Amino acid sequence: QVVPTYLLRVRTCLRGGRASPACRIAERERGMNRKYRKTLIAGNWKMNKTPTQTKAFMTELKGLLPKGRWCDIALCVPAVCIPAAVRAMRETRVAIGAENCSAHTAGAYTGEIAADMLVDAGCKYVILGHSERRAMGETDADVNAKLHTALDAGLIPIVCCGETLAQRESGVTEEWITMQIKLALAGVPEEKIRRIVIAYEPIWAIGTGETATPEQAEEVCQHIRTIIRKRFGSKNARAMTILYGGSMNEKNAFELLAQPDIDGGLIGGASLVPEKFVRIIEDANQPVG
Ligand code: PGA
């Protein structure tokens, strides 16, 4: 079930906002792109909620989820919450993911969790290389090693990249993103690239309430697609799902998700509140063509 454009407009207006003409043009282009690639709205809970709170959240979310065929939906939750989340969402279209995994498959790595274990627990996705993990010491080489392990286990990695405010202000955003993507994807064979999702998350926008403008976010997401095109060919670039993340919420999601190269969102704070998360899912469900 695809919501007609005019209904989306009405909804946007009712919410007190009106999409700009530039947004409308971008949205039309993105509508066409949706034929080639999936839209994904993924939550990143970070270190929030207990298993008990997870169960309560999922029950509430189930009652609010729109009926019909909507975009792909995922919730990446703390490891101990995975069983409760998987159990609660078994009969729904909401997939569960983890927020990290080990680069190793098994062995003497106290406190680590292997990709196989996540699959067995019912996970479909895993976030890799989030800036908060990089700040704890994770390197590009670690992200690359984890990516290969996750792919081998059958998980869909959501690989994060993003620049600091200082990098943006000194004009090196493109070079930085290029380097992060190339290092993260090193050694990935062409036939596996479509099983990867990339998330552009400018560090200055994460958890700060400050969002990249739709134009800023689009510019970098388009650049990421160009990197993929050069390395993996245009068909793979066209099929790749690229997310934006960084203070995306129910108020700004519509214009961000209308951009031609933004195929969804990685949502932190707003994914902790069922109504907000559902509003973003609704905003992602823009008409095709
Ligand atoms: P935020 O987090 O939406 O709270 O800014 C996004 C993220 O870190 O993935």
Side-chain angles (χ1 to χ4, degrees):
Q1 171 207 348
V2 172
V3 179
T5 317
Y6 72 90
L7 278 182
L8 289 166
R9 283 296 142 247
V10 170
R11 202 177 61 216
T12 315
C13 293
L14 285 176
R15 286 183 192 178
R18 189 185 287 271
S20 65
C23 169
R24 276 203 292 275
I25 294 166
E27 185 197 353
R28 215 169 302 133
E29 200 181 326
R30 197 179 98 75
M32 291 188 304
N33 291 339
R34 293 188 69 191
K35 291 179 197 146
Y36 302 113
R37 50 187 182 256
K38 287 186 171 178
T39 302
L40 170 66
I41 296 297
N44 172 16
W45 277 8
K46 311 189 180 188
M47 199 174 74
N48 290 295
K49 296 196 192 289
T50 62
T52 309
Q53 290 167 336
T54 301
K55 197 175 164 201
F57 174 98
M58 297 298 172
T59 308
E60 200 180 333
L61 181 67
K62 269 198 275 193
L64 292 173
L65 276 178
K67 304 265 177 294
R69 199 174 64 81
W70 293 74
C71 62
D72 286 2
I73 307 163
L75 276 164
C76 299
V77 303
V80 290
C81 299
I82 291 169
V86 169
R87 214 173 303 124
M89 300 319 261
R90 195 162 280 147
E91 304 294 316
T92 72
R93 298 184 51 253
V94 179
I96 302 303
E99 300 175 8
N100 181 32
C101 75
S102 171
H104 304 283
T105 49
Y109 302 100
T110 304
E112 291 291 283
I113 298 175
D116 271 354
M117 300 173 187
L118 297 175
V119 172
D120 192 67
C123 285
K124 183 173 175 185
Y125 294 91
V126 62
I127 298 174
L128 295 179
H130 191 282
S131 59
E132 286 154 16
R133 295 214 57 86
R134 292 180 191 258
M136 292 176 222
E138 199 166 287
T139 64
D140 288 306
D142 294 332
V143 177
N144 178 251
K146 290 178 180 197
L147 178 80
H148 285 283
T149 314
L151 282 175
D152 289 346
L155 288 168
I156 300 176
I158 302 176
V159 182
C160 303
C161 62
E163 80 288 1
T164 62
L165 188 58
Q167 286 168 329
R168 173 159 285 268
E169 284 175 350
S170 48
V172 297
T173 300
E174 282 205 357
E175 286 91 332
W176 179 256
I177 299 292
T178 305
M179 188 201 69
Q180 281 191 319
I181 296 292
K182 283 189 175 170
L183 292 173
L185 301 184
V188 172
E190 212 179 300
E191 67 274 12
K192 285 197 180 165
I193 189 66
R194 292 192 191 200
R195 288 172 44 205
I196 297 171
V197 172
I198 292 181
Y200 166 55
E201 297 207 305
I203 295 169
W204 48 273
I206 295 177
T208 57
E210 193 170 330
T211 326
T213 64
E215 293 73 24
Q216 284 172 325
E218 167 63 16
E219 195 181 14
V220 180
C221 290
Q222 197 179 61
H223 174 65
I224 293 170
R225 206 176 299 285
T226 306
I227 303 167
I228 302 297
R229 186 176 304 119
K230 285 186 187 152
R231 166 95 159 68
F232 297 95
S234 53
K235 274 197 183 157
N236 285 322
R238 201 170 61 179
M240 174 138 234
T241 297
I242 302 176
L243 313 179
Y244 166 79
S247 300
M248 190 189 266
N249 57 39
E250 72 290 357
K251 296 195 187 80
N252 57 32
F254 187 87
E255 295 226 11
L256 285 161
L257 295 170
Q259 300 304 310
D261 288 287
I262 301 179
D263 309 310
L266 183 56
I267 297 125
S271 74
L272 295 167
V273 184
E275 304 90 64
K276 292 186 181 181
F277 193 55
V278 165
R279 295 265 296 257
I280 298 171
I281 293 166
E282 288 170 352
D283 277 349
N285 195 52
Q286 298 174 52
V288 175

